Amino acid sequence: MDYKDSLLLPNTKFPMRGNLPQNEPKRYKSWEEKKVYDRMKKNREGKPSFTLHDGPPYANGHIHIGHALNKILKDIIVKYHYFNGKSVRYVPGWDCHGLPIEQKVEEKIGSSKKKELPKSKIRQLCREHAARFIDIQREEFKQLGVIGDWDNPYMTMDFQFEANIYRELCAIAQKGLLVQRSKPVYWSWAAQTALAEAEVEYEDKTSPSIFVAFKHQDLDASLIIWTTTPWTLPANTAISLNGEEEYVITTDKFIVAKKLYNSLVEQEVIKGKIEKTIMATELENTVAINPLNGRTSKIILGDHVEMESGTGCVHTAGGHGEDDYKVSLRYGLDVIMPVDDYGKYDETIVREKLFKDTDKYLGVHVFKANELILEDLGDALLKYTDIRHSYPHCWRTHKPIIFRATKQWFISIDDNYGEKNNTLRQNALEVVENIKFYPEWGRNRLKSMLEGRPDWCISRQRDWGVPIAFFRNKKTDEIIFDEKVLNYVAMIFEQKGCDAWYDLSIEELLYPGSGLNPEDLEKTMDILDVWFDSGSTQNAVLRSRNYDAGTFPADMYLEGSDQHRGWFQSSLLTTLASNEIAPYKALVTHGFTMDEKGEKMSKSKGNVIDPAKIMKQYGSEILRLWVAMSDYQNDQKISENILKQNAELYRKIRNTSRFLLANIDDLDEVVSIDKMGILDKWILSKAKKVFTEIEESFEIYEFSKGLNKLNNFLVVDLSGIYLDVCKDRLYCDDKNDIHRRSSQSAMALIAKKLISTLACILTYTMDELLEYAPSFMKDNLEDIFDIENEKLVEVETNLNEEIVLKAKEKFSEVIDTLKKDKVIKSTLELGISTNCEDILSLPQVESEDLFLVSSVRKDYESEVLVTFEIDSIKFDVFKIQEHKCPRCWKFKSQAEDELCQRCESVIG
């Protein structure tokens, strides 16, 4: 007789295969139709809040794998707090202004046509370009399963937003921290604009390393300078010495620092012996002659002169370096700038006679001038070699930059201001101590950058950005900082956008009651650094009330580790400058994405992995699992093999979840803990411990640590032991037998906990699981966004886990031989005899199921097949004398083809 129909076999419509690439978009669409983000807000009204303020990606090009890592990680953290009962806010945003978009427009229309167009037309084309990529990126971010206020994102080019960026600038100006001065800045000649420190990256460059002799006017000796930028020599005004050091005059008539003398002899720059030692102070305010142009070069003292390399005599050109500039100011030296916006020598070289033959150099790019300069130095060039070294480059054009003194706007880092009368640097270093850092090393990284940073150059000489919109009095050169004048301009920007600065006349832009004569005024025409735009988002998004974006300060900023010198700083400095408060309570940083070999991804190497391709092949859940399983605080590897490993892990989670659902299909309610069996209590106690550890890891955003614990629990304890031992009672017991209902209840509790725990990571899959779950588990929930973190109860268990699991493991080892030798086909043919009280004290059915045998008892009558010991306790394994039950396959029947007592009672 076939008893198959009498068995309660697993039953669920939850599919074994996820078909994620096909099903995820449908599920996301249904979430959008149900407006789940709005429901999330409604579900947590009045609850403690959590605000993650989105660092704006740039609205240019499709998203890459770094974007995916960033956005998925943000989504996991926001959802983690949501499913833990918090009222969350996540308003995504975009940076829309800046050079790359302007360059794309220029490529499209041609640079000659760009010069003919009015600024407002160029800005309109830039706006259209940004808008197009915002729509593209928004859809690509949604495909990652990211939930947020996508209908109301922030865009830095929105009129209200531009007005609020400008208001933040005005607030900083009112504090007295906005200054305009001529000072050396990083200058991109390729993009014709100043750069901030965060816009500079370092790449290798070959430069001439030269030692040049400057003849002293009064002494029969020459000071030797060393430089890798010969093109700056025409602007030389001084030679800086270290005032604390001794210098030597050699027999071959050169002057160098005593500490560097031996090094220079080794390099064959000088050959003479030391003839005389003098202090640097004895040379101060004397004069040397620049061999390139015959101009005088004053000997001065500077703290920046070091003794590690070079000659101890530092070539100083106030227009070409920060240290040079500072020391030149102290000595009242001219700051000469003979280089134009394009990096070419201009008319200054003629006017100031900076070369003996100025015609040869006029209009020549400075890097091309190096070779000509080396020729013109003649005998003064003592040594020349080419060196390969790290050199600052423009992060957008990837061309080497120059230091160039121009009139720029700066936010002062070291001027006192505000209630505390501290400097901006002091305030920043103070608040950093009270911010949480994940990982903790981010604190020292940010501190060291703040300690060493210069004033923030916020002006750019381009078209596409928020203008530094001030009026200057042409007669007095004074900037008008009248509050009513500034507010009036901000109001116009809010209504018409900041294009109005270019489209409207001064009379139209000027506050009517200002008392100023429009004819006396002119507009300043620089635009703001885009880092100021993104730094101002804390004002425009969190403080303006134009968005339902959560609380200020934000609970968290989360970006790549490069933002310690970028957005983390710009946001901190703008907020502190305008309001003396930090914009965030915690900073989370992640690393960069690398290929399988740990190499940086680039199109030229052909090792780029496109998130769109991953989603087409695997679905976004696998990408989300990769993010969650990554040690994201360091650089992350991603490859086809790594994705396959994560796909395998996903299958384990899905199949285990499916098994749980399939076996609780007919359960109506969970039985109370006190009615549960020993093994059920054990697995619940184990689950409680593991899920508590997982929550502790998730709480500090160590998702990989938590998922590894979960994976171990699912594979070893749940699937490897518990679900295996429960199969007999689940399939063969009576539907309402307490043993069966007890095990089903334990599974239901674990399934519910699993769903709520993984909802933040595998949101699609957990939503699907909930959809197919029994009605008592859903409890009128519409979907995954209606659940809150399920709490497992504390369960006491008297199972001696150490002894029992050791015995089970040892039993599995010893019966392998019996199976290989074909003594048995199944462990159900066996029984176990032992004096172990921890085993014998278990109910008969529990101990039998634990070992998957047909009998566990103290004595036996059959021949012993094999014996093993655990902690000196003996276990005998014997073959069962009874017959195999044709329904449950346990050897408990009194006669062949006869049902065992349990199966007989079930069938009736």
Side-chain angles (χ1 to χ4, degrees):
M1 183 176 173
D2 187 359
Y3 292 101
K4 187 178 178 183
D5 290 344
S6 72
L7 298 175
L8 299 168
L9 295 174
N11 179 40
T12 181
K13 290 180 180 176
F14 179 73
M16 189 176 288
R17 292 174 63 84
N19 290 327
L20 300 175
Q22 293 77 36
N23 292 331
E24 286 172 351
K26 295 175 192 171
R27 195 164 289 270
Y28 195 95
K29 190 180 178 189
S30 76
W31 292 345
E32 283 195 302
E33 287 167 356
K34 291 190 280 188
K35 297 190 179 299
V36 294
Y37 182 72
D38 291 339
R39 181 147 49 88
M40 286 166 74
K41 290 197 285 189
K42 193 175 178 186
N43 285 349
R44 302 288 188 264
E45 279 179 358
K47 295 291 179 76
S49 67
F50 176 80
T51 298
L52 192 152
H53 180 42
D54 191 30
Y58 197 61
N60 188 28
H62 292 267
I63 69 167
H64 52 66
I65 199 69
H67 285 123
L69 169 65
N70 179 271
K71 274 290 193 282
I72 288 170
L73 191 53
K74 286 174 180 173
D75 187 61
I76 289 172
I77 289 175
V78 169
K79 284 176 181 168
Y80 163 75
H81 284 285
Y82 172 74
F83 289 120
N84 273 278
K86 286 192 177 173
S87 174
V88 299
R89 293 294 184 275
Y90 177 63
V91 175
W94 277 273
D95 248 338
C96 307
H97 298 121
L99 182 63
I101 289 172
E102 194 174 333
Q103 284 177 325
K104 287 288 183 188
V105 168
E106 194 171 315
E107 282 173 23
K108 198 172 179 182
I109 63 174
S111 54
S112 57
K113 190 178 177 185
K114 186 190 173 196
K115 289 171 186 170
E116 298 167 13
L117 292 174
K119 268 185 188 276
S120 54
K121 180 60 182 173
I122 295 164
R123 291 170 63 85
Q124 180 195 329
L125 293 171
C126 290
R127 192 178 291 278
E128 288 167 2
H129 179 93
R132 176 171 163 258
F133 277 102
I134 285 169
D135 289 340
I136 288 169
Q137 289 186 6
R138 179 176 8 213
E139 291 311 307
E140 290 172 338
F141 286 139
K142 285 181 183 181
Q143 286 168 24
L144 300 171
V146 178
I147 300 293
D149 199 353
W150 293 112
D151 293 336
N152 305 290
Y154 74 82
M155 293 170 249
T156 58
M157 67 181 181
D158 282 346
F159 290 175
Q160 279 188 322
F161 210 107
E162 289 181 333
N164 281 324
I165 292 170
Y166 177 67
R167 287 188 179 109
E168 188 77 338
L169 177 70
C170 295
I172 293 169
Q174 301 284 9
K175 297 275 187 181
L177 292 179
L178 188 65
V179 292
Q180 190 181 31
R181 59 173 178 259
S182 185
K183 183 183 173 186
V185 292
Y186 295 113
W187 183 268
S188 173
W189 50 266
Q192 300 91 55
T193 185
L195 300 175
E197 196 180 14
E199 295 172 305
V200 174
E201 55 188 28
Y202 285 80
E203 297 175 23
D204 283 349
K205 176 182 180 292
T206 301
S207 297
S209 165
I210 63 172
F211 292 87
V212 181
F214 277 57
K215 181 80 178 68
H216 196 278
Q217 198 172 54
D218 303 321
L219 300 171
D220 181 21
S222 298
L223 289 92
I224 304 177
I225 65 96
W226 170 73
T227 183
T228 57
T229 55
W231 60 269
T232 63
L233 286 174
N236 172 281
T237 55
I239 296 173
S240 298
L241 311 183
N242 187 317
E244 305 292 317
E245 295 294 334
E246 288 183 317
Y247 284 73
V248 296
I249 301 176
T250 65
T251 54
D252 49 356
K253 305 304 178 187
F254 293 118
I255 300 172
V256 294
K258 188 175 184 179
K259 284 181 180 172
L260 291 161
Y261 167 76
N262 288 333
S263 166
L264 291 164
V265 171
E266 284 171 19
Q267 293 177 70
E268 297 181 351
V269 177
I270 53 179
K271 294 173 183 170
K273 300 196 180 303
I274 296 175
E275 185 178 86
K276 185 181 177 184
T277 300
I278 53 172
M279 289 301 296
T281 48
E282 295 177 53
L283 293 168
E284 186 182 14
N285 292 320
T286 61
V287 171
I289 305 299
N290 186 336
L292 197 60
N293 52 27
R295 289 167 58 94
T296 57
S297 184
K298 193 171 188 176
I299 315 301
I300 60 176
L301 306 179
D303 298 335
H304 64 291
V305 181
E306 296 177 349
M307 295 291 126
E308 277 73 41
S309 61
T311 67
C313 306
V314 175
H315 150 56
T316 302
H320 289 306
E322 179 81 13
D323 290 328
D324 299 36
Y325 175 75
K326 286 177 182 173
V327 75
S328 295
L329 282 186
R330 199 162 74 241
Y331 280 88
L333 300 171
D334 291 339
V335 175
I336 299 171
M337 179 38 58
V339 182
D340 68 12
D341 291 359
Y342 295 88
K344 297 174 181 179
Y345 288 122
D346 63 16
E347 291 288 342
T348 309
I349 64 168
V350 179
R351 189 175 62 249
E352 299 290 338
K353 299 187 174 77
L354 299 186
F355 291 101
K356 289 169 184 172
D357 181 0
T358 53
D359 290 345
K360 185 162 72 170
Y361 290 92
L362 192 61
V364 173
H365 193 281
V366 292
F367 291 152
K368 289 183 179 174
N370 280 336
E371 206 170 312
L372 299 173
I373 288 169
L374 298 186
E375 287 175 18
D376 284 354
L377 283 170
D379 294 341
L381 179 60
L382 302 179
K383 187 176 181 184
Y384 155 55
T385 51
D386 279 329
I387 60 165
R388 192 83 177 151
H389 63 142
S390 183
Y391 187 87
H393 284 64
C394 171
W395 75 327
R396 293 300 189 193
T397 64
H398 299 289
K399 301 286 186 188
I401 61 172
I402 58 177
F403 283 92
R404 178 172 178 262
T406 57
K407 202 166 190 181
Q408 301 290 344
W409 291 95
F410 296 87
I411 292 177
S412 172
I413 299 294
D414 293 312
D415 284 339
N416 295 80
Y417 76 107
E419 289 180 16
K420 294 182 180 177
N421 200 34
N422 282 344
T423 67
L424 190 50
R425 193 191 307 276
Q426 287 169 333
N427 280 340
L429 290 169
E430 189 179 303
V431 299
V432 164
E433 294 298 338
N434 301 316
I435 291 162
K436 285 184 180 175
F437 283 82
Y438 305 92
E440 174 57 33
W441 54 255
R443 187 187 312 278
N444 286 337
R445 180 177 163 88
L446 185 54
K447 272 174 67 178
S448 66
M449 288 179 172
L450 288 166
E451 282 167 349
R453 69 157 297 135
D455 288 344
W456 180 8
C457 176
I458 61 165
S459 50
R460 298 291 179 271
Q461 292 67 49
R462 301 295 301 189
D463 294 328
W464 178 228
V466 175
I468 300 177
F470 299 129
F471 296 114
R472 177 186 278 108
N473 189 313
K474 289 185 280 188
K475 293 179 178 177
T476 63
D477 202 35
E478 176 196 4
I479 299 290
I480 308 301
F481 285 133
D482 182 284
E483 196 170 344
K484 288 180 180 177
V485 172
L486 301 179
N487 288 341
Y488 191 73
V489 171
M491 184 189 73
I492 292 172
F493 285 2
E494 191 155 318
Q495 293 168 355
K496 301 183 178 186
C498 57
D499 291 358
W501 187 248
Y502 308 100
D503 297 341
L504 301 184
S505 66
I506 291 175
E507 195 169 8
E508 291 169 301
L509 290 162
L510 189 61
Y511 172 60
S514 69
L516 296 166
N517 182 354
E519 291 180 9
D520 293 342
L521 306 177
E522 64 181 6
K523 300 175 189 176
T524 59
M525 296 303 282
D526 288 343
I527 62 166
L528 279 166
D529 168 16
V530 287
W531 288 105
F532 191 93
D533 285 20
S534 59
S536 304
T537 58
Q538 41 73 28
N539 173 44
V541 179
L542 298 178
R543 289 194 278 143
S544 70
R545 300 188 180 177
N546 291 338
Y547 303 87
D548 182 12
T551 56
F552 177 82
D555 293 284
M556 181 183 291
Y557 278 26
L558 186 164
E559 299 302 329
S561 53
D562 57 331
Q563 297 308 320
H564 286 113
R565 63 195 291 261
W567 189 51
F568 293 160
Q569 267 198 66
S570 67
S571 195
L572 181 65
L573 294 176
T574 51
T575 325
L576 286 172
S578 63
N579 281 274
E580 295 186 70
I581 185 170
Y584 38 71
K585 297 175 186 174
L587 287 180
V588 178
T589 51
H590 60 77
F592 298 105
T593 49
M594 307 286 187
D595 69 9
E596 197 168 22
K597 296 173 185 171
E599 292 181 9
K600 194 176 176 182
M601 290 189 184
S602 70
K603 287 180 182 175
S604 59
K605 284 183 185 173
N607 62 349
V608 172
I609 293 184
D610 183 1
K613 187 184 172 190
I614 296 171
M615 287 186 283
K616 197 173 179 182
Q617 184 178 350
Y618 291 102
S620 71
E621 291 284 69
I622 308 306
L623 203 50
R624 293 177 69 89
L625 199 53
W626 165 72
V627 171
M629 283 297 289
S630 298
D631 177 15
Y632 64 83
Q633 293 173 352
N634 296 306
D635 290 343
Q636 287 316 303
K637 292 179 182 178
I638 186 166
S639 66
E640 186 66 30
N641 285 334
I642 291 167
L643 289 167
K644 280 178 182 173
Q645 289 166 21
N646 281 285
E648 187 54 41
L649 173 58
Y650 174 81
R651 271 192 290 276
K652 280 182 191 172
I653 293 169
R654 187 177 183 92
N655 289 341
T656 305
S657 303
R658 186 175 185 272
F659 187 88
L660 291 172
L661 279 196
N663 282 288
I664 62 173
D665 181 59
D666 60 10
L667 186 65
D668 298 322
E669 61 178 352
V670 173
V671 303
S672 61
I673 301 294
D674 60 303
K675 291 180 182 174
M676 288 189 177
I678 289 174
L679 290 176
D680 305 321
K681 287 179 181 176
W682 166 75
I683 196 65
L684 283 174
S685 172
K686 194 84 177 170
K688 174 67 177 176
K689 181 174 180 290
V690 169
F691 279 104
T692 299
E693 289 173 356
I694 292 166
E695 282 164 358
E696 286 168 357
S697 296
F698 281 18
E699 199 175 340
I700 54 174
Y701 313 119
E702 292 183 355
F703 297 104
S704 62
K705 200 173 177 182
L707 283 177
N708 280 315
K709 287 179 185 294
L710 177 64
N711 185 41
N712 187 66
F713 170 72
L714 294 180
V715 172
V716 177
D717 299 312
L718 191 64
S719 299
I721 299 173
Y722 181 71
L723 297 181
D724 208 27
V725 305
C726 287
K727 284 176 183 173
D728 177 73
R729 66 185 69 171
L730 289 169
Y731 303 165
C732 302
D733 277 3
D734 181 75
K735 180 180 177 181
N736 295 310
D737 188 284
I738 188 61
H739 288 101
R740 182 170 184 272
R741 288 303 192 203
S742 169
S743 293
Q744 284 182 306
S745 297
M747 289 182 192
L749 291 171
I750 290 169
K752 207 167 180 183
K753 179 62 183 172
L754 185 67
I755 289 170
S756 72
T757 300
L758 290 180
C760 63
I761 298 167
L762 301 175
T763 319
Y764 286 123
T765 306
M766 296 305 115
D767 190 37
E768 188 185 4
L769 265 172
L770 197 63
E771 185 184 320
Y772 287 99
S775 56
F776 82 93
M777 267 179 72
K778 292 180 192 175
D779 197 23
N780 298 318
L781 304 177
E782 188 177 341
D783 54 38
I784 194 73
F785 298 100
D786 283 344
I787 73 164
E788 201 167 322
N789 189 14
E790 191 72 20
K791 297 289 181 189
L792 283 173
V793 291
E794 290 280 357
V795 179
E796 287 192 14
T797 174
N798 56 4
L799 184 76
N800 187 336
E801 183 180 325
E802 190 181 354
I803 291 290
V804 169
L805 296 188
K806 262 189 193 176
K808 180 173 172 61
E809 189 179 343
K810 194 70 177 173
F811 172 72
S812 297
E813 286 175 18
V814 298
I815 62 161
D816 271 354
T817 311
L818 299 179
K819 284 183 176 178
K820 280 177 190 171
D821 295 342
K822 298 186 179 177
V823 176
I824 60 165
K825 290 181 182 177
S826 161
T827 56
L828 291 174
E829 298 172 48
L830 302 174
I832 295 174
S833 171
T834 182
N835 287 320
C836 179
E837 281 304 315
D838 290 308
I839 302 284
L840 294 175
S841 63
L842 296 174
Q844 181 78 9
V845 68
E846 301 263 359
S847 58
E848 289 173 359
D849 284 350
L850 179 68
F851 291 98
L852 301 178
V853 295
S854 292
S855 175
V856 176
R857 53 189 189 236
K858 200 168 185 178
D859 50 12
Y860 58 94
E861 296 166 3
S862 303
E863 178 190 352
V864 175
L865 297 176
V866 66
T867 298
F868 64 90
E869 283 189 11
I870 298 292
D871 296 349
S872 302
I873 302 170
K874 191 179 173 193
F875 291 80
D876 292 331
V877 180
F878 59 90
K879 202 158 187 180
I880 295 289
Q881 297 298 305
E882 286 86 356
H883 296 277
K884 180 180 178 180
C885 172
R887 181 172 177 271
C888 70
W889 298 358
K890 278 191 174 184
F891 282 69
K892 283 182 172 286
S893 296
Q894 296 305 309
E896 199 170 330
D897 294 333
E898 188 179 287
L899 293 175
C900 68
Q901 193 176 346
R902 186 265 309 263
C903 289
E904 184 70 52
S905 67
V906 171
I907 289 179

